Amino acid sequence: GENVEQHPSTLSVQEGDSAVIKCTYSDSASNYFPWYKQELGKRPQLIIDIRSNVGEKKDQRIAVTLNKTAKHFSLHITETQPEDSAVYFCAARRGGYQKVTFGTGTKLQVIP
Amino acid sequence: GAGVSQSPSNKVTEKGKDVELRCDPISGHTALYWYRQRLGQGLEFLIYFQGNSAPDKSGLPSDRFSAERTGESVSTLTIQRTQQEDSAVYLCASSLGNRGYEQYFGPGTRLTVT
């Protein structure tokens, strides 16, 4: 089955700096890679996703890159703000399957 | 429109008792997922439904866990003879299935086994 590894487990950055979270996956048939943000005590919510037919996707301060050859993908947050503080989960979904495998999460702390 | 709802929001039960957790997905969502999230941990996949069938039950931790879905709508997760290690937040999510991959999560049920 699919295995998704996520690093780092915790990340502290100064407000205004950039944050990068990296994930690797094992199943070369995976073709959909979402990122979820979970604020303390709240439910996870999708913030951005990418499909295997593109290498990069950007939405304002958030971007995701995908390297299919190396089977890794990354989340980039620029100009971080205190409200970006949360746990971020990457995930991977195999084509033709509904099951989504999540990474173990990264706790991001943005220091004002 | 209404999002995914779960009930109860909190459940405290004694060790050895059975519990039922309920999930109401977004109307029209064919795929439904159950996850377990222990305090400070990640999302542990339990089971998912495509329609009323469960093609993948591989995440159920033991035979004390079971789930069903009826009418391509409501799902219940049942935990029999609860143990203290079952204490966690149980999250339900739904998606459009093959017509859309984004999972919409419910608020979760916080289960505490004493």
Side-chain angles (χ1 to χ4, degrees):
Chain A
E2 175 69 276
N3 182 46
V4 177
E5 295 189 355
Q6 183 171 349
H7 301 281
S9 57
T10 60
L11 179 60
S12 290
V13 299
Q14 292 289 330
E15 182 178 357
D17 288 350
S18 296
V20 180
I21 302 170
K22 299 181 178 181
C23 289
T24 61
Y25 61 98
S26 60
D27 189 345
S28 57
S30 288
N31 63 0
Y32 172 68
F33 307 92
W35 286 87
Y36 285 82
K37 176 183 180 182
Q38 186 176 30
E39 296 178 7
L40 188 63
K42 297 189 176 180
R43 70 191 80 183
Q45 290 190 306
L46 181 74
I47 54 171
I48 195 167
D49 55 13
I50 191 168
R51 305 195 182 206
S52 59
N53 57 347
V54 297
E56 184 173 359
K57 183 176 179 181
K58 191 172 182 180
D59 182 4
Q60 298 183 336
R61 297 186 296 108
I62 295 174
V64 57
T65 58
L66 171 65
N67 183 326
K68 285 193 298 182
T69 303
K71 290 190 282 189
H72 66 69
F73 55 114
S74 301
L75 177 71
H76 304 253
I77 306 174
T78 59
E79 301 171 22
T80 53
Q81 301 168 3
E83 52 265 37
D84 295 329
S85 296
V87 178
Y88 291 81
F89 293 98
C90 64
R93 179 188 184 277
R94 182 179 179 181
Y97 287 80
Q98 292 297 332
K99 180 181 177 181
V100 175
T101 302
F102 283 82
T104 50
T106 296
K107 184 176 182 179
L108 173 64
Q109 181 184 19
V110 179
I111 303 166
Chain B
V4 178
S5 61
Q6 292 185 246
S7 61
S9 55
N10 279 284
K11 176 71 177 178
V12 180
T13 190
E14 292 181 353
K15 177 182 173 180
K17 295 285 180 67
D18 298 352
V19 295
E20 273 194 2
L21 312 180
R22 177 186 168 110
C23 172
D24 282 273
I26 294 172
S27 177
H29 280 197
T30 60
L32 185 148
Y33 307 77
W34 284 99
Y35 297 92
R36 179 168 69 180
Q37 188 173 33
R38 292 196 166 105
L39 187 63
Q41 303 297 311
L43 298 170
E44 179 185 358
F45 169 81
L46 298 178
I47 188 171
Y48 89 86
F49 291 88
Q50 179 58 48
N52 291 333
S53 64
D56 191 337
K57 303 179 182 179
S58 63
L60 294 176
S62 75
D63 59 7
R64 295 187 295 106
F65 288 72
S66 63
E68 65 176 21
R69 187 182 186 194
T70 55
E72 295 197 354
S73 180
V74 173
S75 175
T76 56
L77 176 69
T78 301
I79 309 174
Q80 295 178 311
R81 305 181 302 282
T82 51
Q83 304 294 313
Q84 287 185 333
E85 61 262 29
D86 299 335
S87 296
V89 174
Y90 290 82
L91 288 163
C92 172
S94 70
S95 75
L96 283 167
N98 289 330
R99 292 176 293 129
Y101 300 158
E102 179 178 356
Q103 292 188 29
Y104 295 82
F105 283 83
T109 293
R110 181 176 298 279
L111 175 66
T112 304
V113 182
T114 61

